[in-house]
């Protein structure tokens, strides 16, 4: 058999990876996958504890999604979405809008999360421009935020590891402090004081609101920002405050949408209707690239004009609204409806949380927290600088894929995981934490 590892390292530059690490860190080609399991070429199985970078909701090779894609493949694989459409995307758009607040009725499609953020940023700026507010050309985001890797998305992020080298290339963005909440295991809520953060935001708005297009944030949970969970009440107050200054609200629900925080969309827990909602990742159940920005008729009408006025939003991607991806997305909504996923997730999350909270007995463990189907804690006082990497390697040995964010350990499994397998993952972590590292 071909040496796949050697061939891979000879030709592939992997994402979000210091390739030199693979001189000692194992690279694992995967032959197949089913349900929550990945299988390598030696027959070893791994529990997919991170939903393959947060995208897989209902397991690998899900028969419902498989069938939907095969049926679509026999009819239409892809067409240009400029001047043409197809039944799948029309149906999906109607279904998606029916799940959202009444004002969010227009869908603009792209093909990945960063692209969706770019669309929302450009659309916000252009909307203000069309309305005559040409001085609005900056954006506001939360400290510790991450919104993607393309230049616009990177500009409104605040994780130095990803953006510091590219600073000369980036758009102007202002940061406002983000609160950190504490998980209450009694009622599974994230609480915490956020008055200082609101005061800081108000000062920024008083000084800079005249030139800020939009305030972008991941509601409830900053995923790549170390799984920082913060109170929904802050989101509500902060957004109301920004809206008073004629600043658009962009919710980046790329990672937190489609049930991940406990509700179908995190906005439901925040009592806020954003001007733009960015969705991707779980939208196709982990099968194919797809993203969408959902906005209001009022934003849409600001671009609706005779061609000669040059107000159109001339943004496009070749694979926008791909028919195969849309077929998967429709199948995902079918599963949510048929299996009453949100209800079953609530009980599963509560049961896993009981096991997860027990890990706090270890001195290395700090800030145990849970938000819907996301479970996290931080490593402290470890001898190794890259303690998270140690946990990653040890978990792989036990057949569990966990990919820490620095020294933040998190578990974000597909929704179909059984309580028994989740308990096994917690047990693996329990054993690892007994070690000296």
């Amino acid at each position: 058999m071909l040496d796949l590892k050697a061939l891979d390292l000879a030709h592939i530059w992997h994402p979000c990876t210091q390739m030199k690490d693979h001189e000692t860190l194992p690279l694992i080609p995967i032959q197949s996958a089913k349900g929550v399991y990945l299988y390598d070429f030696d027959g070893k199985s791994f529990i997919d504890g991170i939903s393959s970078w947060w995208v897989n909701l209902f397991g690998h090779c899900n028969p419902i999604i498989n069938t939907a894609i095969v049926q679509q493949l026999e009819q239409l694989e892809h067409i240009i979405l400029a001047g043409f459409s197809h039944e799948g995307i029309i149906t999906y758009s109607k279904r998606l809008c029916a799940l959202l607040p009444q004002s969010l009725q227009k869908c603009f499609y792209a093909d990945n999360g960063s692209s969706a953020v770019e669309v929302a940023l450009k659309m916000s700026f252009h909307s203000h421009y069309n309305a005559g507010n040409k001085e609005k050309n900056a954006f506001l985001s939360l400290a510790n935020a991450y919104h993607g890797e393309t230049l616009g998305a990177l500009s409104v992020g605040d994780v130095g590891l990803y953006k510091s080298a590219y600073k000369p290339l980036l758009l102007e963005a202002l940061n406002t402090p983000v609160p950190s909440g504490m998980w209450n295991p009694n009622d599974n809520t994230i609480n915490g004081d956020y008055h200082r953060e609101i005061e800081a935001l108000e000062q920024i708005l008083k000084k800079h609101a005249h030139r800020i297009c939009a305030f972008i944030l991941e509601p409830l949970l900053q995923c790549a920002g170390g799984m920082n969970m913060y109170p929904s009440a802050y989101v509500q107050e902060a957004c109301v405050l920004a809206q008073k200054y004629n600043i658009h609200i962009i919710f980046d629900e790329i990672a937190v949408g489609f049930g991940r925080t406990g509700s179908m969309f995190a906005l439901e827990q925040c009592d806020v209707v954003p001007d733009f909602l960015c969705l991707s990742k779980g939208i196709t159940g982990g099968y194919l690239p797809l993203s969408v920005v959902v906005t209001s008729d009022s934003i849409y009408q600001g671009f609706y004009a005779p061609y000669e006025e040059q107000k159109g939003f001339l943004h496009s991607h070749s694979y926008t609204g791909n028919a195969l991806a849309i077929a998967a997305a429709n199948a995902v909504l079918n599963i949510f409806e048929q299996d009453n996923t949100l209800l079953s997730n609530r009980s599963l999350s509560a049961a896993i949380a009981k096991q997860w909270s027990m890990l706090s007995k270890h001195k290395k463990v700090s800030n145990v927290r849970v938000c819907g189907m996301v479970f996290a804690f931080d490593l402290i006082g470890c001898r190794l600088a890259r303690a998270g990497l140690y946990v990653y390697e040890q978990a792989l040995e036990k057949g569990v894929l966990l990919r820490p964010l620095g020294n933040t350990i998190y578990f974000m499994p597909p929704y179909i995981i059984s309580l028994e397998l989740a308990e096994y993952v917690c047990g693996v972590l329990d054993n690892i934490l007994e070690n000296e590292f």
Side-chain angles (χ1 to χ4, degrees):
M1 191 180 84
L2 293 173
D3 188 343
L4 293 178
K5 294 180 184 180
L7 284 170
D8 180 293
L9 292 172
H11 300 292
I12 299 175
W13 191 343
H14 287 262
C16 203
T17 301
Q18 172 47 260
M19 292 302 296
K20 186 174 175 60
D21 281 350
H22 283 303
E23 292 179 6
T24 55
L25 190 68
L27 178 75
I28 305 173
I30 294 298
Q31 184 178 41
S32 64
K34 184 68 176 176
V36 299
Y37 285 104
L38 308 172
Y39 299 93
D40 70 12
F41 283 80
D42 297 320
K44 184 173 181 178
S45 62
F46 303 89
I47 296 170
D48 188 352
I50 60 166
S51 296
S52 289
W53 243 345
W54 320 345
V55 299
N56 191 290
L57 302 187
F58 298 113
H60 298 274
C61 292
N62 182 286
I64 294 174
I65 304 175
N66 282 5
T67 298
I69 293 174
V70 169
Q71 289 175 347
Q72 183 62 49
L73 185 61
E74 294 174 347
Q75 182 176 345
L76 173 68
E77 81 296 344
H78 179 66
I79 59 163
I80 182 175
L81 205 65
F84 290 82
S85 190
H86 55 89
E87 185 177 4
I89 200 166
I90 295 167
T91 299
Y92 185 77
S93 300
K94 180 182 177 182
R95 295 177 73 187
L96 179 61
C97 290
L99 295 171
L100 294 168
Q102 191 171 3
S103 64
L104 296 176
Q105 289 297 309
K106 289 293 188 291
C107 299
F108 192 99
Y109 289 90
D111 51 19
N112 63 75
S114 293
S115 295
V117 170
E118 298 284 344
V119 167
L121 296 176
K122 287 177 65 178
M123 201 176 277
S124 173
F125 165 80
H126 202 161
S127 175
H128 285 297
Y129 185 90
N130 283 351
N133 300 318
K134 297 182 180 181
E135 75 282 6
K136 284 183 174 285
N137 58 11
F139 295 94
L140 177 66
S141 57
L142 293 176
N144 192 52
Y146 174 91
H147 296 289
E149 302 286 357
T150 50
L151 290 179
L154 201 59
S155 297
V156 294
D158 186 48
V159 181
L161 178 67
Y162 302 111
K163 71 178 288 184
S164 59
Y166 308 104
K167 196 170 183 178
L169 305 178
L170 303 180
L171 306 174
E172 181 182 4
L174 304 170
N175 284 132
T176 189
V178 63
S180 292
M182 294 298 293
W183 176 56
N184 183 345
N186 296 318
D187 59 7
N188 264 349
T189 58
I190 301 294
N191 303 308
D193 180 58
Y194 53 85
H195 292 95
R196 288 184 181 178
E197 288 79 11
I198 289 291
E199 289 173 2
L201 171 62
E202 190 158 22
Q203 292 305 310
I204 290 170
L205 293 176
K206 285 178 179 178
K207 185 175 181 180
H208 298 287
H210 66 283
R211 60 193 189 94
I212 296 173
C213 298
F215 179 27
I216 182 170
L217 62 161
E218 283 181 286
L220 302 181
L221 171 60
Q222 294 181 305
C223 290
M227 295 296 166
N228 178 46
M229 301 175 186
Y230 62 106
S232 60
Y234 168 81
V235 178
Q236 200 271 339
E237 289 189 33
C239 291
V240 167
L241 188 58
Q243 287 171 324
K244 288 180 180 178
Y245 286 89
N246 190 29
I247 293 171
H248 292 146
I249 302 300
I250 301 172
F251 271 8
D252 174 354
E253 292 212 31
I254 290 160
V256 301
F258 296 101
R260 190 54 76 175
T261 65
S263 51
M264 191 63 169
F265 303 105
L267 63 83
E268 297 169 40
Q269 300 178 53
C270 301
D271 196 25
V272 171
V273 180
D275 299 282
F276 305 92
L277 175 65
C278 300
L279 300 170
S280 190
K281 288 196 182 289
I283 193 170
T284 66
Y287 272 70
L288 290 162
L290 181 69
S291 65
V292 62
V293 177
V294 191
T295 190
S296 65
D297 280 317
S298 61
I299 295 290
Y300 174 83
Q301 287 299 324
F303 294 84
Y304 198 88
Y307 180 84
E308 291 74 18
E309 293 186 17
Q310 298 291 296
K311 288 187 175 182
F313 187 63
L314 303 182
H315 182 105
S316 62
H317 294 274
S318 300
Y319 284 92
T320 292
N322 175 262
L324 298 176
I326 289 290
N330 270 308
V332 165
L333 292 189
N334 291 343
I335 297 171
F336 269 106
E337 293 171 3
Q338 295 165 12
D339 294 352
N340 204 353
T341 301
L342 297 176
L343 181 61
S344 59
N345 273 5
R346 280 195 279 273
S347 58
L348 179 59
S349 171
I352 296 174
K354 289 181 180 178
Q355 300 297 317
W356 192 258
S357 64
M358 293 180 185
L359 297 174
S360 62
K361 68 183 181 183
H362 295 281
K363 293 181 179 180
K364 299 183 184 72
V365 171
S366 174
N367 191 18
V368 171
R369 53 203 185 272
V370 175
C371 181
M373 286 294 286
V374 181
F375 311 85
F377 64 81
D378 300 321
L379 292 171
I380 58 170
C382 298
R383 178 173 52 83
L384 296 176
R386 298 179 71 183
L389 180 62
Y390 173 84
V391 172
Y392 168 76
E393 292 184 275
Q394 292 296 307
L396 281 180
E397 289 292 324
K398 301 293 185 181
V400 179
L401 169 57
L402 299 171
R403 194 175 193 273
L405 293 159
N407 287 340
T408 294
I409 310 300
Y410 71 90
F411 179 43
M412 194 187 290
Y415 302 158
I416 63 163
I417 195 167
S418 67
L419 179 57
E420 291 73 21
L421 282 181
E423 288 174 342
Y424 173 77
V425 172
C426 292
V428 166
L429 284 169
D430 190 27
N431 290 335
I432 294 171
L433 293 165
E434 293 285 355
N435 299 337
E436 286 297 325
F437 59 94

